[in-house]
Amino acid sequence: MPDRSAVTSVVEAVVDPDLRRPIGDAGMVRSVDVSPTGEVKIELAVPAPPWPGHDLGPAIAAAAKSIDGVGEVSIDVLIMDGTEQEALAVQLTEGRPDLPGGVGSSTRVITIASGKGGVGKSSVTANTAVALDRAGHDVAVIDADVWGFSIPKMLGMEHPPMAIGELIIPPRAHGVRAISMDFFVGPDQAVVWRGPMLHKALQQFLSDVYWDEPEFLLIDMPPGTGDVAISLSQFLPRSQTVVVTTPQPTAQRVARRAA
């Protein structure tokens, strides 16, 4: 009969890719039962339905089967109650800076801007993010182009954000986490926000999303200068900016003004 404590130990060490924590530390493993014949039954509590950690089941089963004598592995998935969710949200945010790239944060923030629209700014953002991930860096993206959001589709994101209480867990694709207005408006719904509403939305993207201190935070800006640029300059005064333009002299003049 496999040793139950050994099976429990390897199962609890499996890392949830969205929480970026071992599932044992996150309180997701309710119980592990091992039969005399080597069958393992695991009770797993996920923070919200449906939880997007689609690789979690196979990873847990593989971990359990790494112990000699383990045969069939079955996983019963439950949903955390409100108290468990609140405790997990506190654990995930405890000791973290208020804003990525803000005071006390080691995150390097790079805004990707342009003077004109249609010059490839979002393509530069998405490809830079994926390239940084492939180079071994931890990368997140905020799609701050609230009127022309395109980052989720460019990255091929298949899942919306999840919520643990008031904490938003951003979806991932190609190793990159991202948040966008695209997740919060209908396919044909116009975004007519300005001023205070935009300011509040950007503040929530920064403070209410679980970023977990990435190495790089790329921000895809709307074209030109305006409310979004002003708000972000207030939130993240230490950020750096890349201005994207096409070769035409007119586009370059507009880009210089934006810079």
Side-chain angles (χ1 to χ4, degrees):
M1 175 178 174
D3 181 65
R4 179 181 174 279
S5 62
V7 175
T8 301
S9 179
V10 296
V11 166
E12 290 185 338
V14 173
V15 175
D16 182 284
D18 295 287
L19 296 181
R20 300 153 62 83
R21 295 284 189 283
I23 59 176
D25 292 351
M28 296 172 68
V29 181
R30 285 268 181 88
S31 64
V32 177
D33 295 320
V34 181
S35 73
T37 58
E39 294 181 1
V40 174
K41 292 184 178 180
I42 299 167
E43 199 170 82
L44 185 73
V46 298
W51 191 247
H54 31 271
D55 297 330
L56 208 50
I60 291 172
K65 289 179 179 179
S66 70
I67 303 299
D68 289 341
V70 170
E72 183 179 347
V73 178
S74 60
I75 303 172
D76 186 16
V77 179
L78 308 173
I79 307 301
M80 287 184 175
D81 60 32
T83 301
E84 291 172 314
Q85 291 179 5
E86 184 177 342
L88 178 56
V90 169
Q91 180 198 128
L92 294 175
T93 55
E94 196 169 27
R96 295 288 173 184
D98 293 335
L99 300 176
V103 176
S105 171
S106 61
T107 298
R108 182 176 179 182
V109 180
I110 302 175
T111 62
I112 316 295
S114 69
K116 295 172 61 66
V119 297
K121 167 182 54 60
S122 297
S123 296
V124 169
T125 305
N127 282 289
T128 301
V130 174
L132 285 168
D133 173 77
R134 291 182 178 178
H137 298 288
D138 184 16
V139 190
V141 175
I142 291 178
D143 188 354
D145 192 349
V146 294
W147 302 282
F149 39 78
S150 56
I151 291 296
K153 290 182 176 59
M154 285 188 169
L155 290 174
M157 290 187 156
E158 299 177 353
H159 301 280
M162 302 297 291
I164 304 176
E166 296 183 358
L167 185 64
I168 300 170
I169 309 298
R172 297 173 301 110
H174 303 288
V176 176
R177 294 165 287 145
I179 199 72
S180 170
M181 193 64 72
D182 191 13
F183 296 123
F184 304 104
V185 299
D188 300 314
Q189 182 179 346
V191 179
V192 292
W193 295 357
R194 288 195 64 193
M197 293 181 70
L198 285 174
H199 189 85
K200 180 63 175 175
L202 292 170
Q203 185 179 38
Q204 289 182 308
F205 280 179
L206 287 166
S207 61
D208 293 353
V209 176
Y210 174 56
W211 295 118
D212 196 30
E213 197 72 353
E215 289 180 73
F216 290 92
L217 176 63
L218 306 185
I219 303 180
D220 186 29
M221 302 284 285
T225 57
D227 292 330
V228 171
I230 293 169
S231 292
L232 285 173
S233 70
Q234 293 173 350
F235 293 138
L236 304 168
R238 296 187 298 147
S239 61
Q240 298 169 295
T241 299
V242 172
V243 180
V244 179
T245 184
T246 49
Q248 293 86 355
T250 300
Q252 291 181 21
R253 284 197 296 271
V254 176
R256 282 195 292 271
R257 286 199 295 270

